[in-house]
Amino acid sequence: MQFTSEQRLDDNVLEREFTLGEIPGTLWTSGSAPAPLILMAHNNGLPKAEPRLVARARYTAACGYAVATIDAAGCGDRPRSAADEQARADLRRALQAGEPADEIFESLVGPLVERAVPEWRTTLDALLSLPEIGGPVGYSGWTAPGIRLAAVDPRIAAAGFFAGGYVPRTQREEARQVTIPLLFLLQWDDEGNPRQRALDLFDAFGSKEKTLHANMGGHTGTPWFEREDGDRFFGRHLK
């Protein structure tokens, strides 16, 4: 892992850009003691510099966590395959025409998950070797890779999932293998994610401790106070 830049932000959070092979990432920390780590991913491969993700990361780091995000393969500014580009073009066309898009989402999101999760695990290996990170580890954000990561990596101790991203059929089945504590955020009127499918996914998780927070509003309308509730959730399980 090579740090390529750093800056101290006005909330006293240290923001550092890094590269790990071909993987670009950002790490936010505050304080000097070894801190629990939260991996933070934005829905469906949007870039790590997306303002909503950065705002969540800085807020969470200021609460005493180390927070890391990456642009995994095919996500953010990383190169995309011809199949990825075709799937994105087909998706735009279908959405503009009001046509069913589930199969196109499958062809796009499924391969993203398959490529992203190994890179998240490689990043986790490197992050846990840093003296300022002590574990345990949480995951926050994009549900599809989070399900796979929680199912295959025992280092993930708790997760907060956003219901707004498409979850492939494979991950809906894998949800039964996820047994860690969960906080699941649902926007009740999310125009891109059928409510019943999100509720069925919540029911499928194998966790004995799982909490559903449903708020009125569309896809990007998650209330600010959910950040505070999320940090209380992680505080119960990571500190």
Side-chain angles (χ1 to χ4, degrees):
M1 175 176 284
Q2 179 179 359
F3 288 102
T4 57
S5 69
E6 70 174 61
Q7 59 175 328
R8 181 70 64 178
L9 306 174
D10 55 12
D11 50 8
N12 203 38
V13 169
L14 180 64
E15 178 183 86
R16 286 177 285 175
E17 300 293 328
F18 65 83
T19 58
L20 183 62
E22 297 181 352
I23 307 169
T26 309
L27 175 64
W28 294 268
T29 54
S30 62
S32 57
L37 172 64
I38 296 178
L39 305 177
M40 196 167 284
H42 199 56
N43 275 354
N44 291 344
L46 290 174
K48 63 185 180 62
E50 206 283 331
R52 284 179 293 159
L53 185 148
V54 172
R56 287 195 296 119
R58 290 180 58 175
Y59 177 87
T60 303
C63 291
Y65 299 91
V67 182
T69 189
I70 63 171
D71 279 344
C75 300
D77 296 326
R78 296 280 297 277
R80 296 171 180 173
S81 68
D84 287 342
E85 292 298 329
Q86 184 61 55
R88 292 177 190 276
D90 291 345
L91 180 61
R92 287 192 295 269
R93 178 193 53 77
L95 294 177
Q96 289 170 359
E99 298 173 354
D102 276 8
E103 292 307 314
I104 302 174
F105 270 118
E106 286 283 338
S107 68
L108 175 62
V109 180
L112 285 181
V113 171
E114 295 297 329
R115 298 196 300 269
V117 169
E119 294 200 347
W120 275 107
R121 298 188 75 184
T122 297
T123 304
L124 180 56
D125 292 341
L127 290 167
L128 288 176
S129 71
L130 298 175
E132 61 267 42
I133 297 176
V137 182
Y139 176 94
S140 175
W142 184 13
T143 300
I147 290 173
R148 169 66 59 82
L149 194 59
V152 302
D153 198 316
R155 294 173 294 183
I156 307 299
F161 291 148
F162 289 6
Y166 181 82
V167 176
R169 286 185 287 268
T170 298
Q171 276 67 63
R172 286 180 240 163
E173 288 298 318
E174 288 176 333
R176 305 180 190 284
Q177 303 172 33
V178 175
T179 59
I180 59 175
L182 293 179
L183 175 63
F184 196 56
L185 301 184
L186 170 63
Q187 285 302 104
W188 201 245
D189 305 302
D190 191 333
E191 59 278 8
N193 191 39
R195 182 187 307 159
Q196 190 58 53
R197 185 159 61 196
L199 294 173
D200 290 344
L201 177 61
F202 178 75
D203 190 52
F205 286 118
S207 304
K208 292 182 178 179
E209 181 180 336
K210 54 183 178 180
T211 301
L212 173 67
H213 284 190
N215 291 285
M216 302 302 293
H219 183 72
T220 61
T222 304
W224 173 262
F225 60 72
E226 289 293 359
R227 301 185 194 188
E228 300 169 348
D229 287 347
D231 284 322
R232 282 192 288 270
F233 165 78
F234 284 118
R236 291 195 298 273
H237 301 291
L238 302 184
K239 289 185 174 180

